[in-house]
């Protein structure tokens, strides 16, 4: 059985694979961040890695080990930085890590890099890292980079099924139904359904204040309820995500 995981290959096999097939390399990015009392701190990276592995298996791509620390958690989408366990990096670190990865994969001779983001706050720092990395390697390099947030591949139809009472929006979907259902599908032994808090969606004001207002965020760290999560919903979402992400990679990169 061939693996999708780049770090399980020898350098010799990796080089041969690159030369022979020019596989896309998927790089998951996550965070170490509180996800309520019912999900593990590494949820964002576990999910971006699992989704990347499923998509890669469909198209013969490889998955590199993920970047496991993310940009600082924000109150409105990740609860904020005041939770024990949330362990974040400065923007410059995030940008530098992605920039270094882009430059290294270009040096290997990879031509297709796909950054699979699982942590909302990372998006523009990943984008900056890609831009600087591509500038480093120069315009003549063959490397193309795709960036995606995996949740953007969920269709309206699927979201309507997962949220029969209405979708609260992706920002509040922190440790809520999407992440909890996907974790029930991929890592059921890490989910504590009995500890899901029963709280209404948080109603944030349309501005931010610094230092952040801890009292805006529920003590549990959950921004909208994870009630209604299920492994079946997780399986349906995981399936759609891997099919549609694989299709997008094939569409852009062949
Ligand atoms: Zn998350
Ligand atoms: Mn996050």
């Amino acid at each position: 059985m061939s693996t999708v995981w780049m770090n399980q290959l020898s350098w010799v096999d990796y080089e041969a694979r690159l030369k022979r097939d020019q596989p896309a390399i998927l790089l998951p990015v996550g965070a170490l961040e509180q996800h309520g009392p019912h999900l593990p701190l590494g949820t964002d990276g576990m999910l971006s890695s699992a989704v990347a592995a499923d998509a890669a298996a469909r198209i013969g791509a490889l998955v590199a080990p993920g970047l496991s620390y993310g940009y600082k958690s924000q109150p409105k989408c990740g609860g904020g930085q005041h939770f024990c366990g949330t362990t974040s990096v400065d923007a410059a670190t995030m940008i530098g890590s992605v920039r270094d990865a882009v430059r290294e994969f270009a040096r290997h001779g990879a031509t297709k890099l796909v950054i699979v983001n699982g942590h909302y706050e990372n998006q523009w720092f990943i984008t900056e890292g890609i831009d600087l990395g591509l500038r480093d390697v120069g315009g003549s390099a063959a490397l193309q980079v795709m960036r995606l947030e995996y949740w953007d591949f969920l269709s309206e139809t699927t979201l309507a099924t997962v949220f029969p009472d209405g979708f609260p929006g992706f920002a509040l979907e922190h440790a809520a139904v999407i992440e909890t259902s996907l974790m029930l599908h991929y890592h059921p032994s890490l989910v504590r359904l009995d500890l899901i808090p029963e709280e209404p969606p948080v109603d944030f004001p349309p501005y931010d204040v610094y230092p952040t207002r801890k009292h805006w965020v529920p003590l549990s760290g959950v921004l909208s309820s994870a009630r209604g999560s299920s492994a079946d919903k997780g399986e349906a979402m995981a399936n759609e995500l891997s099919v549609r992400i694989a299709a997008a990679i094939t569409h852009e990169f062949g």
Side-chain angles (χ1 to χ4, degrees):
M1 261 300 278
S2 68
T3 178
V4 298
W5 294 101
M6 172 200 172
N7 61 347
Q8 295 179 8
L9 300 175
S10 72
W11 80 267
V12 179
D13 289 341
Y14 171 65
E15 182 182 60
R17 186 76 186 278
L18 273 183
K19 287 203 166 119
R20 190 182 68 227
D21 304 330
Q22 273 306 338
I25 312 285
L26 277 60
L27 175 62
V29 186
L32 192 57
E33 179 186 45
Q34 72 80 17
H35 274 73
H38 62 293
L39 291 178
L41 290 161
T43 293
D44 289 355
M46 288 181 202
L47 291 181
S48 57
S49 295
V51 167
D54 275 0
R58 291 180 182 276
I59 53 172
L62 292 173
V63 186
L67 302 177
S68 306
Y69 297 82
Y71 179 68
K72 293 158 197 162
S73 182
Q74 299 299 302
K76 291 179 184 173
C77 47
Q81 279 295 114
H82 56 286
F83 289 89
C84 187
T86 295
T87 312
S88 307
V89 299
D90 288 347
T93 309
M94 183 88 241
I95 293 166
S97 299
V98 173
R99 178 184 193 165
D100 291 349
V102 168
R103 197 187 54 248
E104 286 291 80
F105 286 110
R107 181 178 61 77
H108 305 162
T111 57
K112 310 160 189 172
L113 179 63
V114 182
I115 302 191
V116 180
N117 183 24
H119 175 62
Y120 202 84
E121 289 86 331
N122 286 340
Q123 176 169 348
W124 299 112
F125 307 115
I126 291 174
T127 304
E128 177 71 355
I130 293 168
D131 188 63
L132 297 182
L134 287 177
R135 197 164 77 189
D136 290 344
V137 300
S140 59
L143 182 68
Q144 300 182 83
V145 185
M146 176 187 288
R147 192 212 78 239
L148 62 90
E149 278 67 47
Y150 73 75
W151 49 81
D152 285 335
F153 288 79
L154 293 170
S155 67
E156 300 268 324
T157 314
T158 298
L159 288 174
T161 312
V162 172
F163 298 95
D165 301 328
F167 177 48
F170 286 116
L172 288 186
E173 260 303 304
H174 177 74
V177 175
I178 292 177
E179 288 186 317
T180 303
S181 297
L182 285 170
M183 286 297 283
L184 283 168
H185 171 64
Y186 284 120
H187 298 287
S189 67
L190 300 179
V191 182
R192 288 288 306 273
L193 283 178
D194 53 317
L195 295 182
I196 290 179
E198 185 57 88
E199 279 160 329
V202 184
D203 189 16
F204 290 111
Y207 53 82
D208 298 303
V209 179
Y210 309 93
T212 56
R213 298 276 197 256
K214 293 176 191 161
H215 65 268
W216 286 7
V217 180
L219 291 172
S220 70
V222 176
L223 305 182
S224 62
S225 183
R227 303 256 172 214
S229 303
S230 75
D232 285 348
K233 287 180 179 178
E235 184 180 11
M237 287 190 283
N239 197 48
E240 176 165 76
L241 289 172
S242 65
V243 167
R244 298 183 84 191
I245 289 171
I249 295 168
T250 304
H251 175 73
E252 289 301 327
F253 294 159

